[in-house]
Amino acid sequence: MAGRNDPNGRNRDIRDDFRTEIREFLGTRRARVTPEQAGLPLYGGERRRVTGLRREEVALLAGISSEYYTRLERGNATGVSESVIDGIAQALQLDEAERIHLLDLLRGAGTTRPPRRRPAQQRVRPAVQRVLDSMRGTPAFILSGRGDILAANHLGRALFAPVYADPVRPPNNARFVFLSPHAIEFFRHWDEVANDTVAMLRAEAGRDLYDRRLTDLIGELSTRSEAFRHRWAAHNVRMHTTGVKLLHHPVVGDLDLPFETFPLPDGPSQFLLTYTAEPHSPSQDALNLLASWAATNDDIERSAPADDSQPADSGETPD
C-alpha cells in the first residue's frame, strides 16, 4: 500500500493499487493449494517450479481459458461475471471472507471514479453510547474496521485498561497488539490474536484502499513491527465475529471470555463487540471482581500497567 498517499501520484490510474492487490492476493491463494489438494494429476515432477497451482491449472478448475485467468490475476477486472468468480473461488478453495475480499478488490479495480475519503473521525451516536452504558455487567465496545475503540462502557474500559494506557487516541487494538510490550501478556494466545488482527485489517483495506487513517496505521505497523510485516505479506483475510478470547488482566488475572460482534447500521466498518463469561465460572468471578474494581477507579487508564518504554522496533515486537 506504499505510495497511495504520495502527492506526486495524483495523475496515475487509481485502479493500479487494486490490480496490485488482486495479483498478490490471488498469487498467495494459488501458492497454498497443491495439485493433489485440487484433485489434479501432478505433472512435471521435480521440474515443477511452484508447489501450488499454476495459472493454467486454476483456469482449468474454474472452467475458463488460461489467457482470461491470467488477465484477471493481473487486475483486468472489466466485466467479470458472478459465475467466473464462483469458479475461481472454488478452484482456489476460498472461504467466504476471502471471496468477499476478492469481490471488493475486483470492484475497486473496475472503478474509474476518484477514491472517496472517509470522514476524518468516525462518530458514535449518543443513543449507541447509551446502549453501551446500559450493559453494566458486560464489557462492550464500538470498534471501527481498522481496530479503533470508538466508544466503550465502564466495564469495557476496565477490561481493556492496558489498551487504554496508550496515550494515542482513539486507542487502537492493532497498535496495542504489535507495538505494546504488554500485549503478549494480556493476550494469552498472542499469535492467534495477531493473525486475526492482520486478517481483519486486510479485509478492511480491500473495502477501501484509500482510507488515509488505515494506510497511515498500516504504514506505522509495517515500519515498527517485523511480526506485522510478515503477517501482512501473507494476504490472509478473515471474518472474526465470534469466539473465545483468552486474556490475562493485570488486576483480576485470567479470563476466558466468549465474544460476539454485531455490525451497526452506521456502516460496515463500525460494529458492537461484547464479552461475556460462562455463568458460575472462574471467569465470571473475575469479571465481577473487575466490575467492583472499576466502580472504585474513575481513572482506569492510570491503573493500567505503565508503558514507559520506547516504541518497540522490529526486534522487540513479539513474534
Side-chain angles (χ1 to χ4, degrees):
M1 298 179 70
R4 286 178 188 136
N5 297 318
D6 182 359
N8 297 322
R10 291 174 181 172
N11 296 325
R12 63 185 177 80
D13 192 333
I14 65 172
R15 295 169 293 183
D16 288 346
D17 294 322
F18 286 99
R19 290 167 179 158
T20 298
E21 292 292 321
I22 291 170
R23 183 178 67 252
E24 294 177 356
F25 176 67
L26 290 178
T28 57
R29 299 313 92 178
R30 281 196 296 110
R32 72 177 185 180
V33 181
T34 66
E36 295 90 338
Q37 290 172 328
L40 293 175
L42 182 61
Y43 297 113
E46 296 181 356
R47 297 192 304 275
R48 188 180 180 92
R49 293 182 297 174
V50 295
T51 57
L53 295 176
R54 298 178 173 129
R55 291 189 182 93
E56 58 267 27
E57 292 169 332
V58 176
L60 175 65
L61 292 167
I64 57 179
S65 71
S66 177
E67 292 79 8
Y68 184 83
Y69 176 77
T70 298
R71 290 199 304 272
L72 178 61
E73 188 171 301
R74 289 173 178 169
N76 186 348
T78 304
V80 181
S81 68
E82 194 77 16
S83 61
V84 168
I85 294 172
D86 288 342
I88 293 172
Q90 184 174 359
L92 295 176
Q93 302 177 15
L94 304 184
D95 62 22
E96 184 63 16
E98 292 169 326
R99 186 181 184 279
I100 292 172
H101 183 63
L102 177 59
L103 283 170
D104 288 336
L105 295 177
L106 291 172
R107 190 178 302 112
T111 186
T112 57
R113 292 178 298 176
R116 176 183 56 83
R117 295 290 183 183
R118 290 184 179 175
Q121 185 174 357
Q122 294 190 39
R123 303 292 183 182
V124 175
R125 289 181 286 112
V128 174
Q129 182 65 60
R130 290 195 294 271
V131 170
L132 294 182
D133 294 337
S134 71
M135 304 168 70
R136 298 187 184 279
T138 300
F141 309 84
I142 304 298
L143 299 183
S144 73
R146 58 181 170 263
D148 291 336
I149 302 178
L150 303 176
N153 61 10
H154 200 56
L155 188 54
R157 290 171 67 89
L159 181 65
F160 273 23
V163 183
Y164 276 92
D166 186 343
V168 177
R169 290 293 180 269
N172 179 274
N173 280 333
R175 186 180 290 109
F176 175 74
V177 167
F178 288 101
L179 302 183
S180 172
H182 301 295
I184 200 167
E185 180 180 3
F186 182 66
F187 294 113
R188 284 149 53 202
H189 287 182
W190 183 88
D191 281 318
E192 180 180 334
V193 171
N195 291 337
D196 290 341
T197 299
V198 175
M200 288 186 288
L201 286 179
R202 264 289 176 199
E204 181 69 8
R207 286 187 284 270
D208 188 353
L209 288 175
Y210 299 96
D211 180 345
R212 178 61 181 267
R213 284 177 171 265
L214 178 61
T215 56
D216 287 350
L217 173 64
I218 292 169
E220 177 187 8
L221 296 177
S222 298
T223 300
R224 297 173 59 186
S225 171
E226 182 179 357
F228 178 86
R229 287 196 300 275
H230 173 75
R231 288 167 171 81
W232 186 254
H235 283 264
N236 292 328
V237 294
R238 191 169 305 158
M239 289 188 292
H240 200 53
T241 59
T242 186
V244 178
K245 197 75 74 179
L246 305 181
L247 306 176
H248 178 80
H249 194 275
V251 175
V252 300
D254 289 352
L255 301 105
D256 299 358
L257 299 178
F259 67 88
E260 299 286 341
T261 58
F262 308 91
L264 296 182
D266 299 277
S269 295
Q270 195 173 113
F271 55 92
L272 169 67
L273 168 65
T274 63
Y275 288 95
T276 58
E278 294 294 334
H280 313 298
S281 66
S283 292
Q284 181 64 70
D285 294 338
L287 202 57
N288 293 339
L289 179 60
L290 182 63
S292 298
W293 174 78
T296 60
N297 284 271
D298 293 330
D299 195 346
I300 290 171
E301 289 92 314
R302 292 189 180 182
S303 302
D307 189 355
D308 54 3
S309 61
Q310 295 298 315
D313 60 25
S314 62
E316 297 171 331
T317 305
D319 199 355

